[in-house]
Each structure stands twice: as structure tokens, then as C-alpha cells.
Amino acid sequence: MEQIQRIGGRLSDIGDGMMVLRALPSRQRRMVGAWCFLDHLGPVQFAAGQGMHVGAHPHTGLQTFTWLIEGEVLHRDSLGNEQIIRPGQVNLMTAGRGIVHSEDSLNDGQRLHAAQLWIALPAEASDCPAGFEHYPELPRWDQAGCTITLLAGRFAGRHMPAIFHSPLVGLDLCSKSGGRIDLPLDPEFEYGILSLEGSIGIAGERFATNEFAYLGTGRQQLALDLAVGSRILLLGGRPFGEPVVMWWNFVGLSKGEIARAQREWEAGSERFGRVAGDSGRRLVAPPLPWSGY
Ligand code: MN
């Protein structure tokens, strides 16, 4: 059993001054299982006329995973999907070989609170056809005064039905009254915890909102001391045993693959297609950070 690693998230601008807390990847920790990206959005109350508007942008080699806590967000993609996601729901988009999407808070001046995650695809699935699924209801139960939502994978005899390509799990724990909760863990998984609201105690250490705790592998159970009004995100998965290159919105097996995706996006290639009804907004890829590709 490893010591708990404390990682402070960092603020990142996802466009138009919309600041998010990025917990993964960080210098100290790039992944937890196949989970390779974790942004905590809000909670934020937008001023009148303001909202989150992320124009059309491509992805490859990953699944995007959106967990909505407050507000409403409209997802549109190049497969023709248009889906509003509401609190308590998950959107799962498989980029595989390539997809384009846009994301907009539905009403300007609304509140927004969400977690945006990416899941790296292993080599045998990284080039798979793109897809999109909306999960309006998830397994949810109460334990020790805490409401637990199973976001991904299997946990305590329950099952979230989406297809993932690596063994992983995701849980949301929400405690109004606070208190201790015991959770069974898989010793083959590594785990990480981000407090989205309030603070948590793990093995006598306190973790504040937006502090990420990396727990490593080898644990069979976990006792959490939840503060009143806290909400936490627990991620787990079998350590990802393959090299992963991440740059901008692309995940790939090599720098060459990512360079090709960047060129094809900038050339308007059919590989990515278009988001219909999106008035042509399109994000520009920054220059590649490597020469010779
Ligand atoms: Mn995206």
C-alpha cells in the first residue's frame, strides 16, 4: 500500500476566461487507470449574458466523460447528436479515430458545476469508430447518510452499463450531514480522489476542495471522513500499461499519430466531419510542440 500523494490542482483557462481546476494530468500524476484528464468546472454563477461556449473541436484516441452536477449543457457532434445533459446525468463520447463536438451552457446567466474527464483508449481500441451515448439515470443508493452514484464501471454489486475498454470505476459521493463511510476497493486498481465541495479526511489527513489525493494500488478498503455538505469524486482503474501521448485534444500512441491528427484537423479533413447547426465556430489547433513531425 502506497502513501497518499497530495496534488494541488491548477487553474486552467478553457477559453473566453472560463477558468477550471485541472487535477489530471499533473506533473506528479498523469493518469489514474485509463482516466487521463480531469477538469473541475465551477461551481460558477454566470452573469447575465455569459455562459460556457466551447466551439467545435476534435478528439482522437479517447472517450470524453461529462458528469453534470448543476446547470444544463448542450452537446452537439459530427455524428449528428444533439443532447442536453442535466444534473445527475453522464455523457460519454467515444472519439476513436476522430470526432468533433461543441459544448454550450444552455442558458446564459445560469449556474454550472461539472466534471469533465477523458479516458485513454488502449491500442486495440484507439482507432475504433466514433460514438456517443447519454445516460439519463445512473445506479444511485444511500449508505451511511451519503448518496453514492456509480458513474462508471462496477462497484459493490452494481453496474453502470457503458462500454469502457479498460477496467475502471468512477463514483460520486455526496454527504449532506457528513460522517464516516467505508468503501470496498479492488487491490489491483489504483485510485484517486478529488473533493468537489467541502473537505475529506483520508487516513488522518485532510484534503481541501480541489486537492487531489492519489492512493495508488493495493487497498482492499477505504475509510473516508466526509465533511458536512461535501461531494467527492472517486476514480479508479487498473494501471494503464501502455504509453500514452496527449497533446491539445488528442490522445495517441505516438507523436507521429498526433501530428497527423493536427494536420488533418487544420486541413478540414473528412476524418473529423462537421458539427451541424453550430454556425461554423471552430477551434484552431496550436502549433505542435515537437519538431520533425
Ligand atoms: Mn471536448
Side-chain angles (χ1 to χ4, degrees), residues 1-279:
M1 203 160 72
E2 298 167 43
Q3 258 204 318
I4 299 173
Q5 190 180 15
R6 183 187 297 267
I7 301 169
R10 63 188 202 280
L11 283 173
S12 186
D13 186 343
I14 59 167
D16 301 332
M18 168 85 192
M19 300 305 288
V20 302
L21 192 287
R22 184 153 301 159
L24 284 177
S26 70
R27 194 165 42 79
Q28 301 97 316
R29 174 64 34 199
R30 297 193 55 77
M31 301 175 77
V32 174
W35 300 102
C36 62
F37 182 93
L38 167 54
D39 270 0
H40 180 201
L41 286 65
V44 57
Q45 170 68 56
F46 288 113
Q50 304 273 307
M52 178 187 76
H53 299 287
V54 183
H57 60 281
H59 288 288
T60 61
L62 56 83
Q63 292 177 297
T64 65
F65 183 102
T66 306
W67 165 234
L68 205 74
I69 300 163
E70 285 184 85
E72 293 176 302
V73 174
L74 173 63
H75 158 97
R76 286 187 279 213
D77 66 41
S78 49
L79 301 175
N81 296 295
E82 266 200 50
Q83 179 68 55
I84 296 168
I85 181 171
R86 298 193 162 89
Q89 303 181 338
V90 159
N91 277 353
L92 179 69
M93 182 177 81
T94 301
R97 175 156 178 71
I99 196 166
V100 185
H101 74 146
S102 63
E103 293 160 296
D104 294 276
S105 47
L106 195 60
N107 301 299
D108 283 352
Q110 72 170 40
R111 275 181 71 82
L112 180 65
H113 191 193
Q116 173 76 60
L117 299 111
W118 296 354
I119 300 162
L121 292 170
E124 74 268 15
S126 66
D127 213 27
C128 70
F132 173 83
E133 285 152 10
H134 174 67
Y135 293 91
E137 284 185 40
L138 298 161
R140 183 165 295 145
W141 66 98
D142 289 320
Q143 181 187 328
C146 178
T147 300
I148 304 179
T149 307
L150 177 57
L151 304 178
R154 292 172 186 278
F155 188 83
R158 293 166 173 95
H159 175 218
M160 187 273 186
I163 291 177
F164 300 100
H165 299 267
S166 308
L168 55 78
V169 70
L171 291 180
D172 177 277
L173 286 84
C174 189
S175 180
K176 280 203 173 67
S177 52
R180 178 189 156 121
I181 187 165
D182 292 289
L183 302 173
L185 299 186
D186 180 339
E188 291 189 6
F189 278 18
E190 56 183 348
Y191 290 90
I193 293 178
L194 182 68
S195 175
L196 302 176
E197 289 177 283
S199 70
I200 40 166
I202 313 172
E205 288 189 59
R206 208 77 211 160
F207 292 84
T209 308
N210 286 329
E211 271 193 310
F212 190 71
Y214 174 71
L215 306 179
T217 57
R219 290 170 198 269
Q220 296 202 324
Q221 54 188 5
L222 179 65
L224 296 175
D225 173 22
L226 299 164
V228 171
S230 59
R231 177 189 284 274
I232 70 164
L233 187 62
L234 172 76
L235 304 177
R238 188 166 302 157
F240 200 76
E242 301 181 24
V244 169
V245 184
M246 280 179 65
W247 177 78
W248 195 45
N249 290 303
F250 302 127
V251 170
L253 305 173
S254 67
K255 290 178 180 173
E257 253 187 31
I258 296 214
R260 190 175 328 120
Q262 190 253 21
R263 282 196 301 271
E264 289 174 352
W265 169 250
E266 286 305 310
S269 156
E270 283 305 305
R271 172 178 180 180
F272 293 106
R274 272 170 221 295
V275 178
D278 199 36
S279 60

